[in-house]
Amino acid sequence: MMRYPLAAIGLSLLACTGTTSEAENCGGDVQVETMSLQSDRQGIVSIPLSLDSDDTVFQVVVENSGDGYVSTDGLVNPDGESILDWEDWYESHDSLTDAFYANASATTLNWPVRESDPGLTEGEWTLYASTLSDDFYYEGRRDVDVTIMRRSCAGSAMKLKATIAYAGDLENDSEVASATEAAVARWTSIYASHGIELSTEFISSDIKASLPSPSTGNAAYDTLYDEVGEGVLLVVGDDVGGAADLYGMAGGIPGPQVATEHSVVAVSWLVHAGANASFSDSEIDIYGETMAHEIGHFLGLYHPVEMGWNYWDALSDTDDCSSAKSCESALADNLMFPYPVCGSGGCTAQVDLSNAQVGVLGLNIGVR
Ligand SMILES: [Zn+2]
């Protein structure tokens, strides 16, 4: 879920309470329900999911109210059939969702992930999650907060609301503000070319300019998302997690669209601008592609192939290439390629998405 400039790649081993409300910007509705639950003695949380006949997508966010980690284990339909089981995916070289990995204080399952996944049916579903200790042992009797969002607007236009928040008074830096606005325009046009209409709003925040890692999580992100309330939230700062070479990072694949410590994408303007802290046109292009790429992660997309060339997304129409050369040849222009591909003639525009990748975006709860 991270994006590094090309120069850094060789140096890095990291691949990347019963309330109900309705949102209006959808042909159908998004129903939101929250509940407080506790894991059993074995550390398993059983979450009741009551689906209506017109529900097409849900996103469930489970947040640990204390220390430790949470993960999503599986999903059972009203007929008692297992629809999704973490054990089928945990050691796979195809990645479907971060929900299975206990690496944060919140776990987010957006389902279905792919257009090829079995659709929702009316009735009583059950979602299983686990609570784990700081050292990754199952830990029982832990309190969790659960948010269930259900969307019923199949076939309507794909619209996404995005808020861009400046950290550290960066909105007053004209170089940063003008480049950020130009980059957001590029992000908007990339998404528009795939049928997603992005609406954007710029705000200032009192987060400090050296941004916390969204993967580690931070209370300031929880507070800021709570203020924004819906859609996706992209925070612009000097650096992300103290890294001098990281373009940006998403708070999950997918990320939670309720207030948690992970509910943001963070991007560094400075890593894009480079050592002179001034933007060229091609740096602005990559800045915009990073925004589109990291929000792509936040909406559920993996890299089509990870660096190392032996882990892939779970989509059938992105090439399962297995070397840097073949992958750059097949996928360098893909928005979700793990790094910008540049040569003497400049960088390849990374704007392409396969049909299945667009399908994942359209099934995200935030795209309405
Ligand atoms: Zn990435």
Side-chain angles (χ1 to χ4, degrees):
M1 69 187 85
M2 303 176 190
R3 194 163 194 242
Y4 291 92
L6 190 61
I9 283 163
L11 306 174
S12 172
L13 296 172
L14 286 167
C16 256
T17 52
T19 55
T20 299
S21 63
E22 291 184 13
E24 289 179 357
N25 55 344
C26 171
D29 304 317
V30 171
Q31 306 286 338
V32 183
E33 181 182 4
T34 60
M35 56 184 78
S36 298
L37 296 172
Q38 192 181 61
S39 54
D40 67 13
R41 272 190 295 181
Q42 278 73 44
I44 307 298
V45 190
S46 302
I47 299 162
L49 251 178
S50 185
L51 300 186
D52 294 337
S53 59
D54 58 354
D55 287 335
T56 53
V57 172
F58 66 76
Q59 182 172 104
V60 176
V61 180
V62 183
E63 193 177 11
N64 206 337
S65 40
D67 296 336
Y69 299 99
V70 286
S71 64
T72 301
D73 292 356
L75 183 63
V76 173
N77 75 8
D79 295 328
E81 297 163 345
S82 172
I83 297 298
L84 180 67
D85 185 344
W86 71 282
E87 293 188 274
D88 294 339
W89 291 96
Y90 198 74
E91 293 180 353
S92 171
H93 283 236
D94 292 338
S95 300
L96 185 70
T97 172
D98 271 5
F100 301 133
Y101 305 104
N103 54 14
S105 60
T107 180
T108 303
L109 179 69
N110 194 99
W111 188 261
V113 176
R114 304 168 294 187
E115 288 179 328
S116 57
D117 288 323
L120 304 184
T121 53
E122 183 178 10
E124 305 306 314
W125 293 57
T126 307
L127 187 146
Y128 293 98
S130 291
T131 55
L132 298 97
S133 64
D134 281 338
D135 42 7
F136 303 104
Y137 288 98
Y138 286 101
E139 197 163 61
R141 303 299 184 208
R142 300 296 300 255
D143 295 324
V144 296
D145 297 317
V146 179
T147 304
I148 298 169
M149 291 165 271
R150 294 179 289 125
R151 189 190 79 184
S152 58
C153 50
S156 62
M158 296 192 288
K159 297 182 178 177
L160 176 65
K161 181 178 186 294
T163 303
I164 297 93
Y166 290 106
D169 294 325
L170 285 170
E171 68 275 16
N172 297 321
D173 182 319
S174 60
E175 176 71 17
V176 175
S178 66
T180 300
E181 285 166 21
V184 169
R186 178 161 177 80
W187 168 24
T188 302
S189 89
I190 292 169
Y191 275 32
S193 72
H194 300 294
I196 299 171
E197 186 185 320
L198 192 65
S199 65
T200 54
E201 184 180 355
F202 293 80
I203 64 171
S204 57
S205 80
D206 50 20
I207 293 179
K208 62 181 170 47
S210 182
L211 298 175
S213 155
S215 179
T216 306
N218 191 279
Y221 292 149
D222 196 336
T223 303
L224 186 61
Y225 193 95
D226 200 38
E227 288 168 16
V228 171
E230 64 169 339
V232 293
L233 173 59
L234 182 140
V235 184
V236 174
D238 291 345
D239 66 84
V240 180
D245 55 4
L246 184 60
Y247 280 137
M249 188 193 292
I253 304 176
Q257 283 174 56
V258 294
T260 77
E261 296 193 347
H262 311 279
S263 303
V264 302
V265 159
V267 295
S268 161
W269 72 271
L270 187 53
V271 172
H272 289 90
N276 64 359
S278 167
F279 283 90
S280 67
D281 287 349
S282 67
E283 286 167 345
I284 288 174
D285 284 348
I286 291 178
Y287 189 20
E289 289 170 15
T290 292
M291 294 175 176
H293 173 108
E294 294 300 332
I295 293 291
H297 282 317
F298 197 86
L299 297 174
L301 289 177
Y302 283 87
H303 299 149
V305 59
E306 301 296 340
M307 279 156 41
W309 322 112
N310 58 349
Y311 284 85
W312 299 273
D313 66 20
L315 305 177
S316 58
D317 64 354
T318 50
D319 201 288
D320 283 358
C321 53
S322 56
S323 69
K325 187 161 183 266
S326 64
C327 291
E328 288 189 7
S329 169
L331 292 162
D333 62 353
N334 194 282
L335 176 64
M336 299 310 296
F337 199 72
Y339 54 87
V341 177
C342 305
S344 55
C347 300
T348 303
Q350 292 184 317
V351 297
D352 192 41
L353 289 171
S354 73
N355 289 335
Q357 286 178 308
V358 174
V360 171
L361 299 179
L363 284 168
N364 187 275
I365 194 77
V367 179
R368 303 170 180 175

